Amino acid sequence: MPSATDPPALWIAGAGGVGREALDTALAAGVPVAGFLDDRQHGATFRGLPVRRPADLGPADLGPGTRYLVGIADPAVRQRLSALLDGLGAEPFTLVHPRALIAPDTLLGPGCLVMGGAYVSSSVRLGAHSQVHYNATVGHDTVFGERVTVYPGGNVSGAVLLADGATVGSNAVVLQGRRIGAGAFVGAAAVVTRDVAPGEVVAGSPARPLRRA
């Protein structure tokens, strides 16, 4: 039975793959989880936890210090849900797997998710609601805007700038000093040797534009 001194349980927004991986991260880190928030799957139960609509949360659920993490890969959906939950009075919570390595002088913004096996190097700045998935690496002096995603095995070299909503696909490589524009998407296994314009989708080695996102 939780005591009055226990921290509030965490709500995970999104009951899909990333949401369940966020649950794995929370369990490994010893963070209690209240349940999932998902409009499409509300009423279900996953691994013994209820799935509810975000809009159905009431005062009894949103007591002082109620915490949430958006476990959804899509940056636009992450933005919408974080704004909704902020408006309901919940607080974004940063969740780091105990097998992730966060180097000194690195700052993680509110609502970030760092999964097992990830390495975030020295003097890195992760913006709010960013995600570094399992076995991904982020090099020194790199700066993330908000809602940036690095998928499993992605390798972001040092001094890279990833603007708001940028995504680096699985096993992709972004070379040192590159700039990835807002909303840009780097495809799986791509090698980015030049800056990527906002909204651009790139793929291949070296990465070349496919279309605008």
Side-chain angles (χ1 to χ4, degrees):
M1 178 73 66
S3 72
T5 59
D6 289 336
L10 176 70
W11 287 98
I12 298 174
V18 176
R20 283 176 278 128
E21 289 175 337
L23 174 61
D24 295 339
T25 301
L27 292 174
V31 175
V33 175
F36 295 96
L37 302 172
D38 194 303
D39 287 326
R40 288 186 292 183
Q41 303 191 63
H42 70 93
T45 301
F46 290 126
R47 291 164 63 179
L49 294 172
V51 183
R52 300 178 60 183
R53 291 188 185 96
D56 288 345
L57 294 183
D61 306 299
L62 295 173
T66 298
R67 307 182 296 181
Y68 77 88
L69 177 116
V70 184
I72 293 174
D74 187 319
V77 177
R78 218 179 302 164
Q79 182 178 30
R80 178 176 61 82
L81 285 175
S82 61
L84 172 64
L85 293 166
D86 287 345
L88 291 171
E91 298 177 1
F93 179 74
T94 290
L95 186 58
V96 178
H97 196 287
R99 289 197 299 103
L101 180 58
I102 309 295
D105 191 36
T106 283
L107 297 177
L108 277 59
C112 287
L113 173 63
V114 182
M115 297 186 189
Y119 175 67
V120 182
S121 190
S122 300
S123 304
V124 170
R125 302 291 182 266
L126 301 189
H129 304 290
S130 290
Q131 298 176 356
V132 182
H133 289 217
Y134 50 87
N135 298 327
T137 60
V138 181
H140 63 86
D141 300 298
T142 286
V143 175
F144 284 19
E146 296 187 355
R147 303 174 306 281
V148 170
T149 309
V150 182
Y151 278 122
N155 182 338
V156 177
S157 300
V160 170
L161 173 64
L162 293 109
D164 293 352
T167 299
V168 176
S170 298
N171 295 315
V173 176
V174 181
L175 296 187
Q176 180 150 335
R178 298 301 93 202
R179 301 292 183 264
I180 311 298
F185 193 101
V186 177
V191 178
V192 176
T193 60
R194 291 186 259 181
D195 292 352
V196 178
E200 205 161 57
V201 177
V202 300
S205 178
R208 300 194 182 280
L210 295 180
R211 61 181 174 82
R212 303 288 289 182

